[in-house]
Amino acid sequence: MTIQQPPYTAGGAVPPLELPYYGAPPVEAVKRVFQKYAVFSGRASRSEYWWWALASAIASGILNAISPTVVNGQSTGASPLGGLWFFATVVPGLAVAARRLHDANLSAWLLLLVLVPVLGWIALIVMLVQRENPLGQRFDRYPGSGYLRRRADAQQPPYGFQQPPQGPGEQPPQYPYGVQQPPPYRAEQPPQYPYGVQQPPPQQPPQQPPNPPAPGSGPEAGPGPGSRPA
């Protein structure tokens, strides 16, 4: 079970670099792209990617407009400064696009659609504008960072400590390494003897001899001194 990350706002706290920045302002979005220059793992929000795409397009247009290259008397629309900008930003541009696809729970290999003219470009743009998907955290470098971890993982005791019982049907306790576990309780059973060996009879408690009758109390005793004959 995955838990969706609470969206960050422009006026709120800035999330760490390994998490996407939802609602990122333009300056922060461009700065994060350069901070994760060649990081293809992790995710990027829509604001991070599209603010970067807009800033990169504006910078490329301005640089290409400065002293454009002229071939056969016609401007090519490109300049050496624009070429330098392209080569300096092609890696971070691909990296942030890959992280944007991860945020939509899509594979970064879909960037190869850019090699398909027109239809591939349209399909790639549609994927890049998709909303965030919590399942995309599987592409993070440390999956689950910034999220509430599963209860089973959070309840694992440290090494060397006895695990508390789990309720009905509980498992036997775990003991640290080197500590002997006491044997389970078993009802005592008579010893087993090999075949052909006679088993001794069970011991019986010794019987006490009957107490002898007191003198003069038996049937052979005569009448007492104070008795009268019938």
Side-chain angles (χ1 to χ4, degrees):
M1 178 180 179
T2 55
I3 302 176
Q4 187 175 4
Q5 176 189 357
Y8 290 93
T9 59
V14 177
L17 289 178
E18 61 267 16
L19 294 178
Y21 191 171
Y22 298 110
V27 176
E28 187 66 29
V30 175
K31 183 173 68 174
R32 289 170 73 88
V33 170
F34 283 105
Q35 287 175 338
K36 297 190 286 186
Y37 190 89
V39 178
F40 288 82
S41 62
R43 295 168 291 147
S45 64
R46 289 187 295 182
S47 57
E48 287 182 76
Y49 176 78
W50 289 109
W51 280 127
W52 158 255
L54 179 61
S56 179
I58 293 174
S60 178
I62 294 174
L63 293 176
N64 286 321
I66 300 174
S67 63
T69 304
V70 178
V71 178
N72 296 329
Q74 294 182 354
S75 176
T76 59
S79 67
L81 293 178
L84 291 176
W85 173 259
F86 171 78
F87 286 110
T89 59
V90 62
V91 174
L94 291 175
V96 70
R99 297 195 301 269
R100 176 78 271 275
L101 292 175
H102 290 168
D103 193 43
N105 195 27
L106 299 173
S107 175
W109 289 104
L110 293 173
L111 290 176
L112 296 177
L113 291 174
V114 75
L115 302 177
V116 181
V118 185
L119 294 180
W121 304 342
I122 296 175
L124 187 58
I125 291 175
V126 172
M127 295 176 187
L128 290 173
V129 299
Q130 295 295 316
R131 290 182 57 87
E132 64 273 5
N133 190 334
L135 297 178
Q137 65 177 321
R138 64 190 178 97
F139 294 103
D140 291 348
R141 179 178 299 179
Y142 306 104
S145 60
Y147 291 82
L148 296 177
R149 301 185 182 276
R150 295 183 179 180
R151 184 178 179 183
D153 297 337
Q155 291 183 350
Q156 292 295 334
Y159 177 79
F161 288 85
Q162 182 177 353
Q163 186 176 3
Q166 303 294 332
E170 58 188 13
Q171 300 294 329
Q174 302 294 331
Y175 292 86
Y177 178 79
V179 178
Q180 184 177 3
Q181 183 176 0
Y185 173 78
R186 294 181 180 178
E188 295 184 359
Q189 298 180 359
Q192 301 294 331
Y193 293 87
Y195 179 79
V197 178
Q198 185 178 3
Q199 182 176 359
Q203 297 181 359
Q204 297 181 357
Q207 298 181 358
Q208 297 291 339
N211 296 327
S217 60
E220 299 178 0
S227 61
R228 292 185 304 173

